[in-house]
Amino acid sequence: MQLPAILAVVLIVAGLWSLAVWPQFLKRVMKDPRARDAAGKATRFLTVHVVLVTISMVLGLATAGIGVAGLLA
């Protein structure tokens, strides 16, 4: 299947957007008082957000990779 160049560029931009935005979000979450309990252990709030960010970044990387592959094909 051929991917039009404009769609490949959209995928690259979308993937790069995810890779740029999610780490900034995680930094804010980690500073949130709900991220750690009184003993300093990670809470479910932090754990859920780390999983969310990880999955989103993997999908962002895959999206950008598909876009690059579409341009090179």
Side-chain angles (χ1 to χ4, degrees), residues 48-60:
V48 166
H49 283 87
V50 167
V51 170
L52 172 70
V53 169
T54 302
I55 291 170
S56 296
M57 289 189 64
V58 167
L59 290 174

Side-chain angles (χ1 to χ4, degrees), residues 29-69:
V29 167
M30 293 186 78
K31 292 179 184 176
D32 192 298
R34 297 172 289 179
R36 304 235 175 238
D37 63 14
K41 288 182 61 179
T43 61
R44 287 184 184 174
F45 174 84
L46 180 58
T47 303
V48 166
H49 283 87
V50 167
V51 170
L52 172 70
V53 169
T54 302
I55 291 170
S56 296
M57 289 189 64
V58 167
L59 290 174
L61 185 61
T63 301
I66 292 167
V68 169

Side-chain angles (χ1 to χ4, degrees), residues 9-22 60-61 63-64:
V9 170
V10 168
L11 289 174
I12 293 168
V13 170
L16 292 176
W17 174 262
S18 288
L19 294 173
V21 170
W22 284 108
L61 185 61
T63 301

